[in-house]
Amino acid sequence: MNIVKHIPNTITCLNLLCGTAGVMAACAGKLDLAFYFMLAAVVFDFLDGFAARTLGAYSDKGKELDSLCDVVSFGVLPSVMLCTLMRAYCFEAPVWLCYFPVVLAAFSALRLAKFNLDERQHKSFIGLPTPACALVCGALALYTASSPASFLSVWATGKLFVPLMVAVLCFLLVSEVPMFSMKVAKGDGLENRKRIAFVVNLALIAALVIISGIHWSMIVLLGFVVYILMNLVFAFILKK
């Protein structure tokens, strides 16, 4: 029995465990704990691919398992976090509207199914990757719960902000917008410059947030909003 080939799948299952624990925490109203589990799931999602490449342990089962786990960690978990956020803070929203974010789970599943079948997405993405979408949702939920008196939180707790954001994210998940990945590749100059620009922007955001004394979740939120905006600019304004 070759234990090495099972290492990536084991890491992938840790992603699933974190996602499941995050859903349980979100259902209990503990958005901070839910977001920590989401961040852990992101780490394991990166490590399983890294382990597969390093160990040469690719498998079709691992590919399918990865997507199934991502549906929970980056589809169901952010949906539940946003539902919890709306139920707890969006007092003007009707009850049925508080459950609208669950559609994000369905579109995340569609995005992952598309990714598995799309041969164009080896070095970059077509459509918004589910981890980036999840981090935007999770960071917004945590920031709003942690800083309810801030301008953004007051805006986000209106009855239409979260549903409209979810609608935009659902569209981006299944869109044909090209988006760069963080996998550095030789001879991929333009994409590498995009990655460097993103890291620089993220560092600047982190510095401004820390200096301003704003809750740290704003780093994640603004960072991945910038990621989305950068890709839209590259796709529609700065085309090759």
Side-chain angles (χ1 to χ4, degrees), residues 159-172:
K159 64 181 179 180
L160 293 179
F161 182 89
V162 170
L164 288 175
M165 183 190 75
V166 168
V168 171
L169 291 174
C170 286
F171 168 76
L172 290 173

Side-chain angles (χ1 to χ4, degrees), residues 203-214:
L204 291 173
I205 290 169
L208 289 173
V209 168
I210 293 171
I211 292 172
S212 303
I214 302 172

Side-chain angles (χ1 to χ4, degrees), residues 48-150:
D48 65 0
F50 178 78
R53 291 189 296 273
T54 302
L55 301 173
Y58 291 104
S59 68
D60 290 336
K61 181 173 70 174
K63 182 179 179 180
E64 298 302 325
L65 179 63
D66 184 65
S67 291
L68 289 171
C69 295
D70 285 356
V71 168
V72 176
S73 298
F74 310 131
V76 177
L77 176 53
S79 298
V80 175
M81 289 184 72
L82 290 179
C83 287
T84 300
L85 174 70
M86 290 197 70
R87 291 179 63 191
Y89 296 95
C90 300
F91 303 113
E92 297 181 1
V95 175
W96 67 267
L97 193 60
C98 294
Y99 292 96
F100 179 77
V102 299
V103 302
L104 192 68
F107 276 84
S108 296
L110 289 171
R111 164 77 182 95
L112 290 162
K114 176 182 176 183
F115 176 79
N116 282 355
L117 298 174
D118 196 337
E119 295 298 326
R120 299 172 295 171
Q121 301 191 53
H122 292 299
K123 295 182 178 180
S124 60
F125 302 112
I126 303 296
L128 180 63
T130 52
C133 177
L135 288 170
V136 169
C137 298
L140 176 67
L142 176 57
Y143 179 78
T144 302
S146 301
S147 307
S150 68

